[in-house]
Amino acid sequence: MPIACRSGCGRNAFMRRPKTGDVLCKECFFLAFETEIHNTIQQEHLFRPGEKVAIAASGGKDSTVLAHVMNVLNKRYNYGLDLVLLSIDEGITGYRDDSLKTVAQNRDDYGMPLRVLSYQELYGWTMDRIVAEIGRSNNCTFCGVFRRQALDRGARLMEVDCVATGHNADDIAETVIMNILRGDTARLRRCCDIKTGSKEADTIPRVKPLKYSYEKEIVMYAHFKKLVYFSTECVFAPNAYRGHARAFLKDLEKVRPSAIMDIIHAGEQLQIKGTVKKPVRGVCGRCGFVSSQQPCKACVLLEGLNRGLPKLGIGKKSKGDRMVALQEQQLREKAHLVKNDF
């Protein structure tokens, strides 16, 4: 027997929402999903009229849904935003080159200008070359650090007022778990912030409009809206640490469906003791981009690659300093031997 849509629209329900348990028809689900994102934007004051907003577009489900919904809400509620797409090409053969075709489709569908920046252009390296040097054990460290800074670089080049990313509720809950397991107090509280950075601190703000949107509902929205998105997993991702946090979260969700939101709300309420030393976010003296250390992690990793010491930025800073000192000593000894030969 058909079940009536809970909204009372008179249509039959076709799904039960994973987030609320409500049974809704397709049209009411679309409206509820979009309205929740609109309410998040309004309550958190994510945008101001006239701002130029770059949507971080990877071609995946999250960024594709974000671009579509932002385009819809911008017109429906007259936000007055100038929306553009910003994509980063990490140089992963068989993955990023294909997903960028989807981003180009989004550009055409929504009429948004698109800017693509590559690791090769910014750093002189591609992820394929980096993995050939470092192996697959720490490759996600390089990619994550370089990608975060690449978005900052792209935002500055495009002269935008803020960057909107497609981080969803599942992503944030996973990050909370990862930071707890690593004991990373610096990122533990910051990872739950819906808005980071500020113009006052000379950094381009980043916002997460999908912070309270479940991944399952994002997939359903994209599927039933027939949005074009790229669904292939990164070829280097199976070994990522995040995969273990994701598997743990899915197991929790089976026994407690509200686990995702519970973890996010717990992360929002966490307070670090005043006696705990916290890194101060500033600007890197080398590249001029936001950093909580000198030089920034991206500069350290890049220096290691260029020096032939790819593990320079992996692990503690003291270990990296010893590696640099040892290499410089070896170079001095080699130069001394060459001098003596003459």
PDB file of all heavy atoms in Angstrom, residues 184-213:
ATOM      1  N   ASP A 184      45.399  15.445  17.670  1.00  0.00           N
ATOM      2  CA  ASP A 184      45.681  16.732  17.031  1.00  0.00           C
ATOM      3  C   ASP A 184      44.732  17.792  17.587  1.00  0.00           C
ATOM      4  O   ASP A 184      43.661  18.066  17.040  1.00  0.00           O
ATOM      5  CB  ASP A 184      45.510  16.607  15.515  1.00  0.00           C
ATOM      6  CG  ASP A 184      46.101  17.786  14.757  1.00  0.00           C
ATOM      7  OD1 ASP A 184      46.210  18.875  15.349  1.00  0.00           O
ATOM      8  OD2 ASP A 184      46.439  17.623  13.574  1.00  0.00           O
ATOM      9  N   THR A 185      45.118  18.407  18.707  1.00  0.00           N
ATOM     10  CA  THR A 185      44.253  19.392  19.354  1.00  0.00           C
ATOM     11  C   THR A 185      44.093  20.656  18.521  1.00  0.00           C
ATOM     12  O   THR A 185      43.075  21.341  18.620  1.00  0.00           O
ATOM     13  CB  THR A 185      44.811  19.765  20.732  1.00  0.00           C
ATOM     14  OG1 THR A 185      46.160  20.256  20.577  1.00  0.00           O
ATOM     15  CG2 THR A 185      44.822  18.561  21.652  1.00  0.00           C
ATOM     16  N   ALA A 186      45.096  20.989  17.706  1.00  0.00           N
ATOM     17  CA  ALA A 186      45.024  22.214  16.904  1.00  0.00           C
ATOM     18  C   ALA A 186      43.889  22.147  15.886  1.00  0.00           C
ATOM     19  O   ALA A 186      43.155  23.102  15.687  1.00  0.00           O
ATOM     20  CB  ALA A 186      46.355  22.452  16.189  1.00  0.00           C
ATOM     21  N   ARG A 187      43.745  20.981  15.251  1.00  0.00           N
ATOM     22  CA  ARG A 187      42.736  20.832  14.212  1.00  0.00           C
ATOM     23  C   ARG A 187      41.396  20.333  14.752  1.00  0.00           C
ATOM     24  O   ARG A 187      40.389  20.451  14.069  1.00  0.00           O
ATOM     25  CB  ARG A 187      43.227  19.877  13.127  1.00  0.00           C
ATOM     26  CG  ARG A 187      44.384  20.410  12.291  1.00  0.00           C
ATOM     27  CD  ARG A 187      44.656  19.494  11.105  1.00  0.00           C
ATOM     28  NE  ARG A 187      45.719  19.993  10.259  1.00  0.00           N
ATOM     29  CZ  ARG A 187      46.997  19.690  10.391  1.00  0.00           C
ATOM     30  NH1 ARG A 187      47.373  18.886  11.372  1.00  0.00           N
ATOM     31  NH2 ARG A 187      47.904  20.175   9.569  1.00  0.00           N
ATOM     32  N   LEU A 188      41.409  19.773  15.956  1.00  0.00           N
ATOM     33  CA  LEU A 188      40.213  19.128  16.492  1.00  0.00           C
ATOM     34  C   LEU A 188      39.038  20.090  16.605  1.00  0.00           C
ATOM     35  O   LEU A 188      37.918  19.777  16.209  1.00  0.00           O
ATOM     36  CB  LEU A 188      40.521  18.517  17.863  1.00  0.00           C
ATOM     37  CG  LEU A 188      39.428  17.659  18.502  1.00  0.00           C
ATOM     38  CD1 LEU A 188      38.942  16.596  17.533  1.00  0.00           C
ATOM     39  CD2 LEU A 188      39.938  17.024  19.776  1.00  0.00           C
ATOM     40  N   ARG A 189      39.273  21.275  17.132  1.00  0.00           N
ATOM     41  CA  ARG A 189      38.186  22.250  17.256  1.00  0.00           C
ATOM     42  C   ARG A 189      37.933  22.968  15.939  1.00  0.00           C
ATOM     43  O   ARG A 189      36.791  23.231  15.570  1.00  0.00           O
ATOM     44  CB  ARG A 189      38.548  23.270  18.346  1.00  0.00           C
ATOM     45  CG  ARG A 189      37.493  24.369  18.541  1.00  0.00           C
ATOM     46  CD  ARG A 189      36.175  23.767  18.998  1.00  0.00           C
ATOM     47  NE  ARG A 189      35.129  24.792  19.103  1.00  0.00           N
ATOM     48  CZ  ARG A 189      34.384  25.203  18.102  1.00  0.00           C
ATOM     49  NH1 ARG A 189      34.568  24.696  16.886  1.00  0.00           N
ATOM     50  NH2 ARG A 189      33.448  26.110  18.285  1.00  0.00           N
ATOM     51  N   ARG A 190      39.010  23.273  15.204  1.00  0.00           N
ATOM     52  CA  ARG A 190      38.875  24.049  13.971  1.00  0.00           C
ATOM     53  C   ARG A 190      38.143  23.281  12.887  1.00  0.00           C
ATOM     54  O   ARG A 190      37.472  23.878  12.035  1.00  0.00           O
ATOM     55  CB  ARG A 190      40.264  24.470  13.494  1.00  0.00           C
ATOM     56  CG  ARG A 190      40.274  25.542  12.432  1.00  0.00           C
ATOM     57  CD  ARG A 190      41.671  26.069  12.192  1.00  0.00           C
ATOM     58  NE  ARG A 190      42.537  25.097  11.550  1.00  0.00           N
ATOM     59  CZ  ARG A 190      43.734  24.760  11.992  1.00  0.00           C
ATOM     60  NH1 ARG A 190      44.214  25.285  13.102  1.00  0.00           N
ATOM     61  NH2 ARG A 190      44.466  23.862  11.348  1.00  0.00           N
ATOM     62  N   CYS A 191      38.250  21.940  12.895  1.00  0.00           N
ATOM     63  CA  CYS A 191      37.663  21.151  11.808  1.00  0.00           C
ATOM     64  C   CYS A 191      36.147  21.226  11.798  1.00  0.00           C
ATOM     65  O   CYS A 191      35.519  20.910  10.790  1.00  0.00           O
ATOM     66  CB  CYS A 191      38.138  19.697  11.881  1.00  0.00           C
ATOM     67  SG  CYS A 191      37.461  18.756  13.270  1.00  0.00           S
ATOM     68  N   CYS A 192      35.533  21.622  12.908  1.00  0.00           N
ATOM     69  CA  CYS A 192      34.073  21.724  12.971  1.00  0.00           C
ATOM     70  C   CYS A 192      33.569  23.112  12.615  1.00  0.00           C
ATOM     71  O   CYS A 192      32.352  23.314  12.524  1.00  0.00           O
ATOM     72  CB  CYS A 192      33.583  21.352  14.369  1.00  0.00           C
ATOM     73  SG  CYS A 192      33.733  19.597  14.740  1.00  0.00           S
ATOM     74  N   ASP A 193      34.457  24.061  12.446  1.00  0.00           N
ATOM     75  CA  ASP A 193      34.030  25.414  12.105  1.00  0.00           C
ATOM     76  C   ASP A 193      33.433  25.438  10.703  1.00  0.00           C
ATOM     77  O   ASP A 193      34.028  24.903   9.763  1.00  0.00           O
ATOM     78  CB  ASP A 193      35.204  26.391  12.171  1.00  0.00           C
ATOM     79  CG  ASP A 193      35.705  26.597  13.593  1.00  0.00           C
ATOM     80  OD1 ASP A 193      34.939  26.311  14.523  1.00  0.00           O
ATOM     81  OD2 ASP A 193      36.858  27.036  13.756  1.00  0.00           O
ATOM     82  N   ILE A 194      32.288  26.084  10.562  1.00  0.00           N
ATOM     83  CA  ILE A 194      31.650  26.170   9.249  1.00  0.00           C
ATOM     84  C   ILE A 194      32.303  27.245   8.392  1.00  0.00           C
ATOM     85  O   ILE A 194      32.187  27.252   7.170  1.00  0.00           O
ATOM     86  CB  ILE A 194      30.137  26.440   9.400  1.00  0.00           C
ATOM     87  CG1 ILE A 194      29.399  26.132   8.095  1.00  0.00           C
ATOM     88  CG2 ILE A 194      29.872  27.874   9.873  1.00  0.00           C
ATOM     89  CD1 ILE A 194      27.894  26.109   8.237  1.00  0.00           C
ATOM     90  N   LYS A 195      33.030  28.152   9.052  1.00  0.00           N
ATOM     91  CA  LYS A 195      33.739  29.215   8.333  1.00  0.00           C
ATOM     92  C   LYS A 195      35.111  29.396   8.950  1.00  0.00           C
ATOM     93  O   LYS A 195      35.236  29.541  10.164  1.00  0.00           O
ATOM     94  CB  LYS A 195      32.951  30.527   8.401  1.00  0.00           C
ATOM     95  CG  LYS A 195      33.507  31.636   7.522  1.00  0.00           C
ATOM     96  CD  LYS A 195      32.569  32.834   7.493  1.00  0.00           C
ATOM     97  CE  LYS A 195      33.055  33.885   6.487  1.00  0.00           C
ATOM     98  NZ  LYS A 195      32.097  35.025   6.393  1.00  0.00           N
ATOM     99  N   THR A 196      36.146  29.362   8.128  1.00  0.00           N
ATOM    100  CA  THR A 196      37.513  29.548   8.608  1.00  0.00           C
ATOM    101  C   THR A 196      38.177  30.666   7.824  1.00  0.00           C
ATOM    102  O   THR A 196      37.862  30.903   6.662  1.00  0.00           O
ATOM    103  CB  THR A 196      38.338  28.255   8.460  1.00  0.00           C
ATOM    104  OG1 THR A 196      38.317  27.835   7.085  1.00  0.00           O
ATOM    105  CG2 THR A 196      37.769  27.146   9.320  1.00  0.00           C
ATOM    106  N   GLY A 197      39.133  31.331   8.476  1.00  0.00           N
ATOM    107  CA  GLY A 197      39.824  32.439   7.827  1.00  0.00           C
ATOM    108  C   GLY A 197      38.965  33.692   7.832  1.00  0.00           C
ATOM    109  O   GLY A 197      37.752  33.643   8.048  1.00  0.00           O
ATOM    110  N   SER A 198      39.610  34.820   7.594  1.00  0.00           N
ATOM    111  CA  SER A 198      38.884  36.095   7.549  1.00  0.00           C
ATOM    112  C   SER A 198      39.733  37.119   6.819  1.00  0.00           C
ATOM    113  O   SER A 198      40.961  37.018   6.766  1.00  0.00           O
ATOM    114  CB  SER A 198      38.567  36.590   8.961  1.00  0.00           C
ATOM    115  OG  SER A 198      39.757  36.905   9.665  1.00  0.00           O
ATOM    116  N   LYS A 199      39.069  38.098   6.251  1.00  0.00           N
ATOM    117  CA  LYS A 199      39.786  39.160   5.552  1.00  0.00           C
ATOM    118  C   LYS A 199      40.622  39.980   6.529  1.00  0.00           C
ATOM    119  O   LYS A 199      41.670  40.517   6.164  1.00  0.00           O
ATOM    120  CB  LYS A 199      38.787  40.061   4.819  1.00  0.00           C
ATOM    121  CG  LYS A 199      38.064  39.352   3.680  1.00  0.00           C
ATOM    122  CD  LYS A 199      37.081  40.269   2.984  1.00  0.00           C
ATOM    123  CE  LYS A 199      36.349  39.536   1.855  1.00  0.00           C
ATOM    124  NZ  LYS A 199      35.346  40.400   1.194  1.00  0.00           N
ATOM    125  N   GLU A 200      40.139  40.070   7.786  1.00  0.00           N
ATOM    126  CA  GLU A 200      40.887  40.808   8.792  1.00  0.00           C
ATOM    127  C   GLU A 200      42.239  40.157   9.059  1.00  0.00           C
ATOM    128  O   GLU A 200      43.221  40.835   9.371  1.00  0.00           O
ATOM    129  CB  GLU A 200      40.082  40.886  10.098  1.00  0.00           C
ATOM    130  CG  GLU A 200      38.842  41.780  10.022  1.00  0.00           C
ATOM    131  CD  GLU A 200      37.701  41.122   9.258  1.00  0.00           C
ATOM    132  OE1 GLU A 200      37.745  39.892   9.067  1.00  0.00           O
ATOM    133  OE2 GLU A 200      36.770  41.840   8.838  1.00  0.00           O
ATOM    134  N   ALA A 201      42.280  38.815   8.950  1.00  0.00           N
ATOM    135  CA  ALA A 201      43.532  38.082   9.163  1.00  0.00           C
ATOM    136  C   ALA A 201      44.310  37.927   7.860  1.00  0.00           C
ATOM    137  O   ALA A 201      45.269  37.155   7.790  1.00  0.00           O
ATOM    138  CB  ALA A 201      43.240  36.708   9.751  1.00  0.00           C
ATOM    139  N   ASP A 202      43.896  38.643   6.823  1.00  0.00           N
ATOM    140  CA  ASP A 202      44.560  38.633   5.522  1.00  0.00           C
ATOM    141  C   ASP A 202      44.534  37.245   4.885  1.00  0.00           C
ATOM    142  O   ASP A 202      45.476  36.835   4.218  1.00  0.00           O
ATOM    143  CB  ASP A 202      46.011  39.125   5.641  1.00  0.00           C
ATOM    144  CG  ASP A 202      46.589  39.531   4.286  1.00  0.00           C
ATOM    145  OD1 ASP A 202      45.793  39.941   3.422  1.00  0.00           O
ATOM    146  OD2 ASP A 202      47.812  39.413   4.078  1.00  0.00           O
ATOM    147  N   THR A 203      43.452  36.500   5.127  1.00  0.00           N
ATOM    148  CA  THR A 203      43.253  35.203   4.478  1.00  0.00           C
ATOM    149  C   THR A 203      41.865  35.181   3.850  1.00  0.00           C
ATOM    150  O   THR A 203      40.943  35.811   4.354  1.00  0.00           O
ATOM    151  CB  THR A 203      43.362  34.035   5.476  1.00  0.00           C
ATOM    152  OG1 THR A 203      42.382  34.198   6.508  1.00  0.00           O
ATOM    153  CG2 THR A 203      44.747  33.982   6.100  1.00  0.00           C
ATOM    154  N   ILE A 204      41.731  34.469   2.753  1.00  0.00           N
ATOM    155  CA  ILE A 204      40.441  34.359   2.084  1.00  0.00           C
ATOM    156  C   ILE A 204      39.593  33.321   2.823  1.00  0.00           C
ATOM    157  O   ILE A 204      40.007  32.172   2.961  1.00  0.00           O
ATOM    158  CB  ILE A 204      40.618  33.970   0.609  1.00  0.00           C
ATOM    159  CG1 ILE A 204      41.387  35.075  -0.135  1.00  0.00           C
ATOM    160  CG2 ILE A 204      39.273  33.723  -0.056  1.00  0.00           C
ATOM    161  CD1 ILE A 204      41.723  34.751  -1.565  1.00  0.00           C
ATOM    162  N   PRO A 205      38.416  33.697   3.329  1.00  0.00           N
ATOM    163  CA  PRO A 205      37.589  32.779   4.106  1.00  0.00           C
ATOM    164  C   PRO A 205      37.147  31.567   3.290  1.00  0.00           C
ATOM    165  O   PRO A 205      36.989  31.648   2.071  1.00  0.00           O
ATOM    166  CB  PRO A 205      36.375  33.635   4.501  1.00  0.00           C
ATOM    167  CG  PRO A 205      36.820  35.042   4.344  1.00  0.00           C
ATOM    168  CD  PRO A 205      37.807  35.043   3.218  1.00  0.00           C
ATOM    169  N   ARG A 206      36.957  30.451   3.990  1.00  0.00           N
ATOM    170  CA  ARG A 206      36.365  29.252   3.396  1.00  0.00           C
ATOM    171  C   ARG A 206      35.105  28.893   4.153  1.00  0.00           C
ATOM    172  O   ARG A 206      35.071  28.980   5.385  1.00  0.00           O
ATOM    173  CB  ARG A 206      37.344  28.076   3.451  1.00  0.00           C
ATOM    174  CG  ARG A 206      38.556  28.254   2.570  1.00  0.00           C
ATOM    175  CD  ARG A 206      39.288  26.944   2.449  1.00  0.00           C
ATOM    176  NE  ARG A 206      40.623  27.111   1.896  1.00  0.00           N
ATOM    177  CZ  ARG A 206      41.459  26.124   1.663  1.00  0.00           C
ATOM    178  NH1 ARG A 206      41.093  24.887   1.938  1.00  0.00           N
ATOM    179  NH2 ARG A 206      42.648  26.350   1.154  1.00  0.00           N
ATOM    180  N   VAL A 207      34.093  28.470   3.436  1.00  0.00           N
ATOM    181  CA  VAL A 207      32.818  28.127   4.061  1.00  0.00           C
ATOM    182  C   VAL A 207      32.373  26.738   3.615  1.00  0.00           C
ATOM    183  O   VAL A 207      32.778  26.251   2.560  1.00  0.00           O
ATOM    184  CB  VAL A 207      31.724  29.171   3.725  1.00  0.00           C
ATOM    185  CG1 VAL A 207      32.100  30.540   4.263  1.00  0.00           C
ATOM    186  CG2 VAL A 207      31.491  29.249   2.217  1.00  0.00           C
ATOM    187  N   LYS A 208      31.529  26.106   4.444  1.00  0.00           N
ATOM    188  CA  LYS A 208      31.052  24.746   4.174  1.00  0.00           C
ATOM    189  C   LYS A 208      29.520  24.721   4.209  1.00  0.00           C
ATOM    190  O   LYS A 208      28.930  24.336   5.226  1.00  0.00           O
ATOM    191  CB  LYS A 208      31.608  23.770   5.214  1.00  0.00           C
ATOM    192  CG  LYS A 208      33.118  23.803   5.362  1.00  0.00           C
ATOM    193  CD  LYS A 208      33.551  23.039   6.604  1.00  0.00           C
ATOM    194  CE  LYS A 208      35.035  23.194   6.865  1.00  0.00           C
ATOM    195  NZ  LYS A 208      35.431  22.640   8.187  1.00  0.00           N
ATOM    196  N   PRO A 209      28.861  25.108   3.133  1.00  0.00           N
ATOM    197  CA  PRO A 209      27.389  25.121   3.119  1.00  0.00           C
ATOM    198  C   PRO A 209      26.759  23.751   3.337  1.00  0.00           C
ATOM    199  O   PRO A 209      25.612  23.660   3.788  1.00  0.00           O
ATOM    200  CB  PRO A 209      27.060  25.659   1.723  1.00  0.00           C
ATOM    201  CG  PRO A 209      28.273  26.424   1.302  1.00  0.00           C
ATOM    202  CD  PRO A 209      29.423  25.659   1.886  1.00  0.00           C
ATOM    203  N   LEU A 210      27.482  22.673   3.016  1.00  0.00           N
ATOM    204  CA  LEU A 210      26.928  21.315   3.156  1.00  0.00           C
ATOM    205  C   LEU A 210      27.307  20.673   4.487  1.00  0.00           C
ATOM    206  O   LEU A 210      27.193  19.459   4.642  1.00  0.00           O
ATOM    207  CB  LEU A 210      27.429  20.421   2.013  1.00  0.00           C
ATOM    208  CG  LEU A 210      27.130  20.860   0.583  1.00  0.00           C
ATOM    209  CD1 LEU A 210      27.637  19.814  -0.412  1.00  0.00           C
ATOM    210  CD2 LEU A 210      25.643  21.104   0.375  1.00  0.00           C
ATOM    211  N   LYS A 211      27.712  21.478   5.468  1.00  0.00           N
ATOM    212  CA  LYS A 211      28.212  20.934   6.734  1.00  0.00           C
ATOM    213  C   LYS A 211      27.226  19.974   7.397  1.00  0.00           C
ATOM    214  O   LYS A 211      27.635  18.970   7.985  1.00  0.00           O
ATOM    215  CB  LYS A 211      28.541  22.077   7.695  1.00  0.00           C
ATOM    216  CG  LYS A 211      28.998  21.592   9.070  1.00  0.00           C
ATOM    217  CD  LYS A 211      29.247  22.725  10.044  1.00  0.00           C
ATOM    218  CE  LYS A 211      29.614  22.181  11.423  1.00  0.00           C
ATOM    219  NZ  LYS A 211      29.844  23.255  12.412  1.00  0.00           N
ATOM    220  N   TYR A 212      25.935  20.261   7.318  1.00  0.00           N
ATOM    221  CA  TYR A 212      24.945  19.422   7.992  1.00  0.00           C
ATOM    222  C   TYR A 212      24.187  18.517   7.027  1.00  0.00           C
ATOM    223  O   TYR A 212      23.129  17.967   7.384  1.00  0.00           O
ATOM    224  CB  TYR A 212      23.963  20.304   8.761  1.00  0.00           C
ATOM    225  CG  TYR A 212      24.632  21.148   9.829  1.00  0.00           C
ATOM    226  CD1 TYR A 212      24.708  22.533   9.704  1.00  0.00           C
ATOM    227  CD2 TYR A 212      25.210  20.559  10.957  1.00  0.00           C
ATOM    228  CE1 TYR A 212      25.330  23.308  10.673  1.00  0.00           C
ATOM    229  CE2 TYR A 212      25.840  21.325  11.926  1.00  0.00           C
ATOM    230  CZ  TYR A 212      25.896  22.699  11.779  1.00  0.00           C
ATOM    231  OH  TYR A 212      26.522  23.458  12.747  1.00  0.00           O
ATOM    232  N   SER A 213      24.706  18.331   5.824  1.00  0.00           N
ATOM    233  CA  SER A 213      24.060  17.470   4.822  1.00  0.00           C
ATOM    234  C   SER A 213      24.706  16.088   4.826  1.00  0.00           C
ATOM    235  O   SER A 213      25.930  15.978   4.708  1.00  0.00           O
ATOM    236  CB  SER A 213      24.178  18.096   3.425  1.00  0.00           C
ATOM    237  OG  SER A 213      23.573  19.364   3.381  1.00  0.00           O
TER     238      SER A 213
END
